[in-house]
Amino acid sequence: MDRILQEISAVGRKLEGMDSAMASLLAETKFMRLDIAGFQTQVTGLEQRVATAETRIASWGYRDQELLYLCSKLIDLEDSSRRDNIRFLGFPENVEGADIHSYLRETLPKLTGIIFDPPPEFQRVHRLGPKQRVDANRPRPIIACLLRYVQTRQLLHAARTHGPFG
């Protein structure tokens, strides 16, 4: 009987040790649950931020397309702006040959008496309208846009003061 009592008391001491171990495990589990709840809150916040970022990035594709469209439209408007064009009238058809740029670069100083330094450079030069026959009554005007504003002003001033060149 004593021996049974000793074994029961030994089992009791072991159970007390297990109770304290269980209590510490419960306390650690409680702290872990609190940490997990904090992590869940952080993850929820991060998920919301990622969803917002994804929405913004998805809208960038549309904005990129819109920006490309607006850039191409701006370039087109700048290139086709008529404000800086000069019209040259009275040059016979095909007098310029194959290179209208070179023809105007050589002819303008001779006609106007202006010494251009550097020689005039053109952003664009072309005849207006469809090509006509050589024996047409009225030659097509030449439309030109000089690269340098000062040269444009010199030509316009010479045309105003001198009148028609010829």
Side-chain angles (χ1 to χ4, degrees), residues 31-156:
F31 287 123
M32 286 182 174
R33 270 193 249 148
L34 291 174
D35 285 344
I36 289 172
F39 290 144
Q40 286 175 336
T41 304
Q42 287 179 351
V43 167
T44 302
L46 290 174
E47 286 174 344
Q48 290 172 349
R49 289 175 62 190
V50 166
T52 303
E54 287 174 342
T55 303
R56 286 183 182 170
I57 289 171
S59 70
W60 289 352
Y62 170 73
R63 287 184 182 162
D64 285 346
Q65 290 174 352
E66 185 179 13
L67 181 63
L68 288 174
Y69 170 74
L70 291 175
C71 283
S72 68
K73 191 172 182 178
L74 176 67
I75 289 169
D76 185 45
L77 287 172
E78 287 175 346
D79 286 346
S80 64
S81 174
R82 298 182 319 192
R83 179 176 49 204
D84 297 328
N85 288 347
I86 297 177
R87 268 188 324 168
F88 297 102
L89 304 174
F91 286 97
E93 288 286 329
N94 298 324
V95 72
E96 71 271 7
D99 189 10
I100 194 167
H101 289 88
S102 298
Y103 174 74
L104 282 181
R105 194 176 300 119
E106 294 170 8
T107 306
L108 287 178
K110 293 175 189 173
L111 285 176
T112 61
I114 299 173
I115 299 171
F116 293 103
D117 185 32
E121 291 182 55
F122 299 96
Q123 186 174 2
R124 61 185 170 277
V125 179
H126 59 89
R127 289 270 186 178
L128 188 62
K131 192 168 187 158
Q132 296 179 354
R133 297 188 331 251
V134 176
D135 60 343
N137 293 340
R138 290 180 38 186
R140 297 176 295 159
I142 296 174
I143 305 294
C145 181
L146 279 98
L147 195 58
R148 292 181 184 81
Y149 177 77
V150 174
Q151 292 176 346
T152 302
R153 295 294 142 218
Q154 287 175 329
L155 278 173
L156 292 175

